[in-house]
Amino acid sequence: MAKAIPRIGSRTNGRMGSRKSTRRIPKGVIHVQASFNNTIITITDVRGRVVSWSSAGTCGFKGTKRGTPFAAQTATGNAIRTVVDQGMQRAEVMIKGPGLGRDAALRAIRRSGILLTFIRDVTPMPHNGCRPPKKRRI
C-alpha cells in the first residue's frame, strides 16, 4: 500500500471559494470605442483589470444596426448595470473613435447615476502618419 503524500498549504482539497469573486470597486474607468460599425464599452478598475464589457454586437444588433446610437446606448446600459451592482460610484470616461455611438454612450453613462470625474477623448491622431508606399510603375 502506497503511503499518501501529505499536502502542505491552505488549499488542501481543491478550490475553497468561487474563483471569480465580485470585488467591491468604488472607482473605475469606462472605455468607449466607437467605430462606424460597432461600439465597444469596457469597464475596468483603476489598475486596468477588466470588470465588465459589452458591445452592440453582443447585445443582439446585426450588420449596420450595430453602428447606431441606440445600439451604443443599449450596450452601455448592459455594461454599466453589472458594475453598479458591484458598488461603483465614480468613474473616468475615455472615448475613442469617430463613430455615431460616442454621444449616445456618454448620455447613457450620465443617466446611470455614476459620477464622472473626467471625460477624455483618446482618439489616436497621426502627426502626419506613416510614409506612403512608393508609386507603382506600369
Side-chain angles (χ1 to χ4, degrees):
M1 180 84 187
K3 195 173 169 184
I5 302 163
R7 288 225 182 129
I8 302 164
S10 61
R11 286 169 56 151
T12 49
N13 50 356
R15 293 203 178 91
M16 299 307 272
S18 65
R19 217 158 56 111
K20 196 169 172 69
S21 62
T22 54
R23 290 192 302 271
R24 299 290 291 170
I25 33 171
K27 191 168 188 279
V29 185
I30 301 171
H31 299 270
V32 179
Q33 287 179 282
S35 67
F36 291 118
N37 297 322
N38 203 355
T39 305
I40 302 167
I41 315 293
T42 311
I43 302 173
T44 65
D45 58 5
V46 279
R47 287 180 60 187
R49 295 175 298 188
V50 175
V51 180
S52 170
W53 71 275
S54 182
S55 71
T58 57
C59 291
F61 293 94
K62 294 270 190 282
T64 52
K65 293 181 187 75
R66 287 184 309 183
T68 60
F70 177 68
Q73 181 184 319
T74 310
T76 308
N78 281 5
I80 286 180
R81 200 174 304 121
T82 57
V83 291
V84 169
D85 294 342
Q86 291 180 18
M88 186 182 280
Q89 289 128 12
R90 284 171 289 126
E92 304 166 357
V93 181
M94 308 286 196
I95 301 178
K96 184 189 282 188
L100 297 169
R102 292 167 59 104
D103 302 331
L106 192 56
R107 233 175 277 130
I109 294 166
R110 279 262 167 85
R111 265 204 305 269
S112 69
I114 292 177
L115 293 170
L116 303 182
T117 49
F118 69 83
I119 302 163
R120 181 180 285 171
D121 189 3
V122 289
T123 307
M125 287 287 182
H127 295 268
N128 216 10
C130 303
R131 182 174 172 159
K134 68 178 187 187
K135 297 286 181 274
R136 288 181 63 193
R137 288 188 298 276
I138 302 168

